[in-house]
Amino acid sequence: MLVGRNVAMSVLTAAVEMASTGSGQALFLLGEAGMGKTRLATEAGTLARSVGMDVLCGRAVPSPTPPPYRPLSEAFLSAWRGREPPTGPMRAGLRPAVELLVPSWSPAGSSEHRAAPSVLTIGEAALALLDGLGGPGALLVLEDLQWSDPESLDVLGYLADKLPDRPVLVIATLRPGDDTAAERLARTLHARRCAQVVPVDPLDDVAVASAVAASLGTSVPPATLVAAVAERSGGSPFLVEELLASLIGVGALAPAGAGWEVRGDVPDVVPASFALAVADRLAALPTAARDVVRMAAVLGERFDWRLIDATIRDGAGPGGSAPSDGVIDALGRAARGRLVEQDRYTGEFRFRHALTRTAVLDSLLAPERAWFAHRALAALGAVDGAEHADADRLGLAARLAETAGDQVRPFELRVAAARAAVGRGAVASARESATDALRLARTPRQVVDAQRALLDAGVAAGDAAHVAPLGERLVERLVALGAPARDIADVHLRMAAV
């Protein structure tokens, strides 16, 4: 059951009803990690399906250089997988934008010499794909937008202006803080009355008591238990469940007749932090399964189990363990231990909460992190092939290389990511990747390569104000390095083009 969210559910219910009758809108669910934003979005999806609407789901992922259009591509790719592209937008000049949103429709190499679609055309392509689903309406859920790439946010801003006259509801979830671009967009659209911001705040003490009762299946939970959980959970529905599970796991909370009893004082299983509860769950797993979870934490909050399998299949863990039970069995154990879960829409595995992954990472020593990252990086190249890695894999490889302590590959991968982003027309992402490459540059030649990547991004954007001084500095460095005249002329040509 859903506890303490009556106001938010009223807003979502009304929004689904309005969208199903042709009056859509954008909603931003804003709340800290663990407050139940995903649960609310899932409830909205259930409501939407009950009236025949299609539901599309995509998610942004944490990365120093977020892959361009990642949440949008995930949503549209899952909705259109195995289906032919709609003929209307393909004939209306939207083919490049449509193929950007559903990459499986794009022939290999077809985008290399094609002009990058604008935000307007990508927004129109998104609307055409939503219309083409054929139902009475659609719900587009975009999660964790605090990690989104700038291009996806631009498209979302465009969509928000077009929804009131369409049977489309967009629900986005994001965390507040750090003045992220996603939060600024949400506030701006709300101020312009183009979207609603729905705060998802901590539960009050009454709601925490209801959550404890519902989780334990009892009408009257022990008062000492409710007080302890309310104090330690901070009103997070997720942590309420985690605390109860931990207390049951250590035997401090046990069934007694028709209810439950606390054995002794409520122990401080999570002493003001989430790490101890996660450590308890991790310690309950066999050694091989623990290594699988630790490897998953190094890979990211969402992870590919096949990559873990390729990573540890032929080797023991840093503690000497071998994956005797198999990766799938280990993930099953971790899921039963409430550490990971499988996304029911995409089939991907993920940690039940970002805090879970953080706690697992914190339990690793630096040499252990480096060992896992080194193995994962080697497996990543074997699985994908370095020359064929997509934007997601390039970002992951760069992060793994840094964690492994590699002094060269992180730079090379960031430059490669910048070039790939320019090729896709994702100028903002290209600049971020190139800037990160510049941070990692250790030699004069690396500085030149990073500046060239920045220059390419500026050229793609037609940004003369930044390209001119950057090009001049790049020419000075090339002259100082004794570079061939052709390289110097190439920089002048790029500046002249802008």
Side-chain angles (χ1 to χ4, degrees):
M1 54 184 291
L2 194 61
V3 174
R5 298 300 184 213
N6 293 339
V7 173
M9 278 307 302
S10 296
V11 174
L12 292 173
T13 301
V16 170
E17 291 175 353
M18 291 176 63
S20 67
T21 60
S23 181
Q25 61 177 303
L27 290 175
F28 291 87
L29 298 177
L30 183 66
E32 298 288 351
M35 289 301 151
K37 301 182 296 296
T38 295
R39 172 64 188 278
L40 287 169
T42 301
E43 292 290 328
T46 300
L47 288 172
R49 290 188 182 92
S50 71
V51 296
M53 296 174 67
D54 291 288
V55 179
L56 300 76
C57 299
R59 180 185 299 269
V61 294
S63 170
T65 53
Y69 308 110
R70 202 269 188 193
L72 292 169
S73 292
E74 179 181 337
F76 285 105
L77 188 60
S78 62
W80 285 90
R81 183 176 287 113
R83 301 169 63 179
E84 292 297 318
T87 56
M90 302 299 273
R91 293 174 180 170
L94 297 178
R95 176 183 290 271
V98 167
E99 292 177 350
L100 192 63
L101 293 173
V102 186
S104 61
W105 289 339
S106 179
S110 63
S111 62
E112 293 181 2
H113 306 291
R114 181 182 292 167
S118 67
V119 170
L120 185 150
T121 54
I122 296 174
E124 287 299 317
L127 293 172
L129 289 176
L130 291 167
D131 292 341
L133 290 171
L139 167 62
L140 173 61
V141 178
L142 302 173
E143 295 208 62
D144 290 329
L145 286 195
Q146 71 276 359
W147 294 320
S148 177
D149 58 286
E151 293 79 20
S152 292
L153 295 179
D154 287 343
V155 174
L156 179 55
Y158 178 83
L159 291 178
D161 287 326
K162 308 298 180 183
L163 298 179
D165 298 326
R166 312 183 79 95
V168 176
L169 172 62
V170 175
I171 295 179
T173 71
L174 65 151
R175 301 175 191 173
D178 299 328
D179 190 32
T180 61
E183 186 175 358
R184 291 196 300 273
L185 173 66
R187 302 291 188 193
T188 300
L189 293 176
H190 181 75
R192 288 171 42 201
R193 305 194 179 201
C194 295
Q196 286 192 72
V197 174
V198 181
V200 186
D201 297 321
L203 301 176
D204 59 25
D205 288 347
V206 174
V208 168
S210 298
V212 171
S215 297
L216 298 178
T218 181
S219 58
V220 186
T224 54
L225 173 69
V226 172
V229 170
E231 178 184 355
R232 299 174 193 178
S233 69
S236 164
F238 174 75
L239 288 182
V240 168
E241 294 185 4
E242 293 298 303
L243 282 164
L244 292 173
S246 296
L247 292 171
I248 293 170
V250 299
L253 180 62
W260 294 77
E261 68 175 5
V262 177
R263 296 176 176 175
D265 294 333
V266 180
D268 197 13
V269 243
V270 185
S273 75
F274 184 55
L276 185 55
V278 173
D280 289 342
R281 309 279 180 75
L282 203 57
L285 297 175
T287 304
R290 282 202 300 272
D291 277 346
V292 168
V293 175
R294 289 166 174 161
M295 175 62 77
V298 171
L299 290 177
E301 189 175 337
R302 296 168 74 91
F303 54 90
D304 185 344
W305 71 267
R306 293 164 297 188
L307 181 56
I308 299 178
D309 185 53
T311 300
I312 69 175
R313 185 188 306 125
D314 300 322
S321 65
S324 56
D325 292 332
V327 171
I328 297 301
D329 178 68
L331 289 174
R333 292 172 181 269
R336 290 189 292 273
R338 299 165 66 83
L339 290 167
V340 303
E341 63 185 4
Q342 190 172 20
D343 190 312
R344 67 179 184 177
Y345 295 119
T346 66
E348 288 182 304
F349 280 94
R350 64 188 181 197
F351 283 91
R352 292 192 71 242
H353 194 279
L355 296 178
T356 308
R357 180 204 172 216
T358 300
V360 175
L361 282 177
D362 289 345
S363 72
L364 292 173
L365 299 174
E368 291 178 310
R369 287 196 200 190
W371 187 93
F372 279 118
H374 178 75
R375 291 295 302 273
L377 190 61
L380 187 65
V383 169
D384 290 338
E387 70 276 15
H388 300 301
D390 61 19
D392 286 339
R393 296 299 217 208
L394 279 171
L396 173 60
R399 181 161 49 80
L400 289 172
E402 285 195 67
T403 303
D406 194 308
Q407 299 299 309
V408 177
R409 291 195 68 188
F411 169 81
E412 295 173 343
L413 289 164
R414 297 295 186 208
V415 171
R419 289 170 178 163
V422 168
R424 293 187 62 185
V427 177
S429 292
R431 277 179 166 159
E432 290 181 12
S433 295
T435 300
D436 209 30
L438 192 58
R439 172 183 65 83
L440 294 168
R442 296 291 181 269
T443 67
R445 172 53 61 182
Q446 287 182 336
V447 171
V448 165
D449 289 343
Q451 287 184 332
R452 192 188 300 275
L454 269 174
L455 182 70
D456 289 343
V459 170
D463 188 353
H466 287 86
V467 163
L470 179 61
E472 291 171 1
R473 290 195 299 271
L474 182 53
V475 166
E476 291 174 0
R477 286 187 177 277
L478 288 170
V479 170
L481 289 173
R486 178 182 295 276
D487 290 353
I488 297 171
D490 180 65
V491 175
H492 282 293
L493 284 170
R494 291 169 187 269
M495 294 168 63
V498 176

